[in-house]
Amino acid sequence: MMASMTSDDRAAWEAEYAEARLRDVDFETMSGIPVDPIHGPGPYPGQYPYTRGIHASMYRSRLWTMRMFAGFGTAHDTNLRFKDILANGGTGLSTAFDMPTLMGRDSDHEWSVGEVGKAGVAIDTVDDMRDLFADIDLGEVSTSMTINGPAAIVMAMYVAVAEANGVPRSKLAGTIQNDVLKEYQAQKEYIFAPRPSMRLVTDMMRFTAAEMPRWNPVSISGYHIREAGSTAAQELAFTLANGFAYVEAAVASGLPIDDFAPRLSFFFNSHLDFFEEIGKYRAARRIWAQWMKERYGATNERSLLMRFHTQTAGVSLTAQQPEINIARVAIQALAGVLGGTQSLHTDSYDEAHALPSEKAARIALRTQQIIAHETGVTNVADPLGGSAYVEWMTDEMEKRAEEVFEHLLELGDGSMLEGVYEGIENGYFVGEIADSAYRFERSVNSGRRIIVGVNDFTDGDDADGSNLLYIDAGVEQEQLGRLGAVRQNRDSDLVARCLDSLAADAAEPDVNLMPGFIDAVEAHATEGEIVSTLEGVFGTYTEKAIV
Amino acid sequence: MMQDPIRIVLAKIGFDGHDRGLKVVARLLRDAGFEVIYLGLRQTTDAVVAVAEQEDADAIGLSIHNGGHLTLAPRMVAAVAERELEVPVIVGGIVPDRDIQALLDSGVAAVLGPGTSAADVVAVVRTTVAPE
Amino acid sequence: MSLRDLTVPELLDEARSGDRRAIGRLLTLVERGGEAADQVAKLTHPDAGKAHVVGITGAPGAGKSTLTGRLAAGLAATGHRVAVVAIDPSSPLNGGAILGDRIRMDEPIHATEGADPNNVFIRSMATRGQSGGLAVAVPGAVRLFDALGFDPVIVETVGVGQIEVDITAASDTTVVVVTPGWGDAVQANKAGLLEVADIFVVNKAERPGASDARRDLELMLDLGGHPAWRPPILMTTAVDNVGIDEVSTAISTHLGHLRESGEIDTRRGVRARSEVATRLHAFLLTRVDETMATTEGEQVLADVDDGTVAPVEAAHRLSNYI
């Protein structure tokens, strides 16, 4: 029985592989030994439940996307960097926003002082968005935007700019993070309470499903959960639970599952326990496929495929002897690749101190290129599949995640969405994460866990931090000037009417807010004004102190 | 009679949402016998001072991870002085070595930079509150 | 001027003139106990007795802090000066505590129009061991706030453990907060909270099971016969500010009932006597420790160590010195 199934699997895999377009490279070892594209047992890569990868040929067809984050200063500053990336053959733009933008506040908000343009680009109005993408054909590039709480507003600005330049929204391609659940659990960049925030997410999912077929409306992110201190199994479990919650919310809002599920993507961390990480990625694909098929009844194969981006663990970087972080990042990046990631960001070695310097960012990118082109690991899909240890680790990760799902379903009375809401409200997620973070900290402090350069092997620390990138304070003044000019030159009656109508829309749970956002940003309403308008209806949110 | 536990207010100011370190420090201090008044995220300097006053806190611990320490910490010190409180301000988080002296010069009582050990956290808070 | 150099009467003068630092400092002295605390208790006694003391308790996670914050904000917005004592447990292992309740109290106060934060004073208190210190410190803090003109004074505790229940029950009006879901009413019952309730609040009332929780409470009250005051059951969603005014009204209605029925004097009489008893117990405990540390004490204890004197005999002999 097993044998015949396996040979069927094999035949199916061979047929699929035969159709795949391969990269024009020699699939052999450094010493010239030819290697087969897969080894070990089925189901094979590209076959349900996709434990071994989502494509039959994996990196033989296409390497992962080497996606590096950019964004700083004013829209104009970042625009120059974008054009540089495109001129050098890049096709994807990845945007980081500054803190005020991420929190839905304008650059002239009292808390924005010192934050404008610092950790990303400052966007207050559609005019900033226009300058950010000046002279770039939005019909040709794919854009990733890392923003959550006010994602729908920033998205509206992007659509408005594209259409003003003659590119219809249906042609826009890209991803917006828009994963608000993990904000309450880990990153803490929320604005409203969970339920109204979820409405913004589902409004955007409905909008893109209907009008922007090339857009990924949510990137479900475990990265921040891990950075906040969770274990690998918690990262896996909480992220997938959030994924299921979005699925349930979207279905409840009236979307058929196969209309949106193929557009869901994921974002994981890669930390230092090499095999644990690889087991985590493999388990993630398997759980997602099984749940989507069996619990949620998805029938389109693309709805079952977990596509994910990986970033190396910023929290693992040490301030002491910063150069040794290069080795850490290389190992983490390799785990992501062996785990079958679709795209990868490698951290710069100096990030424990501040924003990365140009040299450090280049070394980070080169690390990925070494893995891709020098190590030979791309010749074989899921090269560790079949290893007793890796298979055990994969099963173990899955088992631990299923225990969490069970708890959440109990909290939600059978609904994962309600279970996640309850877990946010009762402090389950933050409590679990804080426990794990503290356990880790204690093991380091007691010396049971060695961190090289921190609690052992400490000779040779010569970190001076002198090459760190500092953003010039002039950026803030410039941005305040730009914002002031927009406020002065716009039709303020029109802005007021748009905001009033937005408030009315917000009070009606069934109205999709996206069209109202587009109208408001086209009238040059600021991000902060739109957020304040919504706060008038939705209120604000203060988290419970769970330490 | 037993010594009063040291009471410390822990908070983050402004948008900065990185609270992992603050939570770990809160637990470290609790386990060392401190009473931690935990305010968490998105506080203003005025709110922190108002709490320190009501709680008769022995110290204020500020965690800063967004690079704003040179602006935020002196503002906290000024807010404390304005209300005539005698409460030392201790800053932790991502503070590059080269900024430490500037923070101390601005009136910050102690700085706990990246990689400070648990024992150091407890010891620094203790000696800051009750200098020998 | 350094507060640390001021005497208790000087601190009280500063506090009466509105210096919140002095109030904070006095609370520290009250909490520490000992001579200074006794002095505060004596000096504030003549001005106390005017404030309405409200206890709010319930299971962890019931939403007490949010409810307390909303109540305080509403009261402050209508011109009251409100004090809150928020009590959280200390760790039995190391004596430390994390006091995080006030986050959800401060927030609504800052967010409510017309609620002057200077009209609200919140103090977090840890239980600090089991010596009964809290049973003295909390009435001390309440009396201080009362004497300084705060009214009402709200005491918020987690409804687990006898000390917490006793402290809450020592209020004029006790509000017990429960949430929908099986078990909560049962838990509250176990903790002895149901007998002490003057008002029930079913918080998170937007959730399924809220009406069941209400019905369970009604049934339970029916079993209690027909007392002069039947505790009302109010439904709230504190986080959305729903039902808070009704709680506020019920609290003042209960105060009216206490006054009309004369029960307020009975309750306060019980409270005063119980404080005397608590203080006597504490006093005795101190005397016991002191006696055991005297030369005579050491001698007798040494005999116990040798096995020449039975412990019961030793205790009898030393009791003469207390």
Side-chain angles (χ1 to χ4, degrees), chain A residues 115 188 435 438 445 470, chain B residues 19 27 31 42 66 98 118:
Chain A
E115 301 259 20
K188 310 297 177 71
D435 282 350
Y438 193 51
N445 277 305
Y470 276 81
Chain B
D19 58 2
R27 289 191 185 205
D31 290 353
R42 313 259 142 76
N66 63 351
R98 71 171 188 189

Side-chain angles (χ1 to χ4, degrees), chain A residues 181 198 201-202 205 218 220 239-266 288 291-293 295-298 303-304 415-417 420-421:
Chain A
L181 291 174
M198 181 59 97
V201 175
T202 51
M205 289 171 84
V218 47
I220 305 151
T239 309
L240 268 73
N242 290 345
F244 301 140
Y246 291 122
V247 166
E248 292 182 13
V251 168
S253 81
L255 279 176
I257 190 158
D258 287 320
D259 282 13
F260 67 88
R263 281 283 160 199
L264 296 176
S265 64
F266 287 80
W288 185 250
W291 278 59
M292 290 304 280
K293 184 176 180 181
R295 183 175 161 97
Y296 297 114
S303 299
L304 313 183
S415 152
M416 189 61 88
L417 176 60
V420 168
Y421 285 148

Side-chain angles (χ1 to χ4, degrees), chain A residues 113-157:
Chain A
V113 181
E115 301 259 20
V116 176
K118 194 181 252 165
V121 60
I123 300 290
D124 292 315
T125 66
V126 72
D127 303 68
D128 297 324
M129 191 64 95
R130 185 191 63 216
D131 293 355
L132 180 61
F133 292 105
D135 311 319
I136 295 172
D137 183 350
L138 296 182
E140 291 299 316
V141 297
S142 128
T143 304
S144 149
M145 292 190 274
T146 303
I147 189 160
N148 297 278
I153 300 163
V154 168
M155 181 79 203
M157 291 182 186

Side-chain angles (χ1 to χ4, degrees), chain B residues 13-55:
Chain B
I13 301 290
F15 291 134
D16 177 10
H18 297 95
D19 58 2
R20 173 182 180 156
L22 191 68
K23 288 185 174 189
V24 167
V25 166
R27 289 191 185 205
L28 285 173
L29 294 176
R30 177 201 57 196
D31 290 353
F34 289 59
E35 288 181 359
V36 177
I37 295 111
Y38 185 82
L39 298 183
L41 299 174
R42 313 259 142 76
Q43 299 293 326
T44 61
T45 50
D46 283 350
V48 173
V49 173
V51 169
E53 188 174 69
Q54 291 168 55
E55 300 289 355

Side-chain angles (χ1 to χ4, degrees), chain A residues 218-426:
Chain A
V218 47
S219 165
I220 305 151
S221 307
Y223 184 80
H224 320 82
I225 293 171
R226 191 64 177 285
E227 290 287 296
S230 83
T231 64
Q234 287 167 335
E235 177 196 357
L236 172 68
F238 297 173
T239 309
L240 268 73
N242 290 345
F244 301 140
Y246 291 122
V247 166
E248 292 182 13
V251 168
S253 81
L255 279 176
I257 190 158
D258 287 320
D259 282 13
F260 67 88
R263 281 283 160 199
L264 296 176
S265 64
F266 287 80
F267 172 19
F268 288 112
N269 203 303
S270 190
H271 218 299
L272 275 162
D273 193 320
F274 193 66
F275 291 104
E276 189 177 51
E277 294 304 302
I278 293 166
K280 178 185 78 184
Y281 304 125
R282 298 176 90 246
R285 276 191 297 268
R286 181 154 82 202
I287 297 168
W288 185 250
Q290 287 171 345
W291 278 59
M292 290 304 280
K293 184 176 180 181
E294 282 153 30
R295 183 175 161 97
Y296 297 114
T299 53
N300 180 350
E301 193 197 3
R302 290 176 46 77
S303 299
L304 313 183
L305 302 183
M306 164 176 278
R307 298 168 298 135
F308 67 92
H309 171 67
T310 303
Q311 182 173 337
T312 58
V315 76
S316 73
L317 304 178
T318 58
Q320 297 88 340
Q321 305 185 46
E323 293 85 354
I324 65 175
N325 290 323
I326 296 170
R328 292 192 174 97
V329 168
I331 293 164
Q332 294 165 352
L334 184 59
V337 170
L338 294 178
T341 193
Q342 275 60 59
S343 76
L344 182 61
H345 171 109
T346 32
D347 286 331
S348 303
Y349 67 83
D350 54 4
E351 285 183 45
H353 282 293
L355 287 175
S357 62
E358 203 170 308
K359 180 181 175 190
R362 189 169 62 242
I363 290 174
L365 178 59
R366 295 284 178 264
T367 304
Q368 295 199 38
Q369 290 159 341
I370 289 170
I371 294 172
H373 303 292
E374 296 188 25
T375 64
V377 297
T378 55
N379 282 338
V380 179
D382 190 36
L384 298 177
S387 144
Y389 180 42
V390 168
E391 295 297 343
W392 173 84
M393 185 63 87
T394 306
D395 293 346
E396 184 67 19
M397 285 286 131
E398 181 180 16
K399 194 181 92 198
R400 286 170 184 249
E402 294 284 355
E403 284 166 11
V404 171
F405 301 151
E406 217 166 285
H407 175 68
L408 289 170
L409 285 174
E410 200 174 300
L411 281 183
D413 233 348
S415 152
M416 189 61 88
L417 176 60
E418 290 300 325
V420 168
Y421 285 148
E422 177 61 23
I424 289 168
E425 180 58 28
N426 75 12

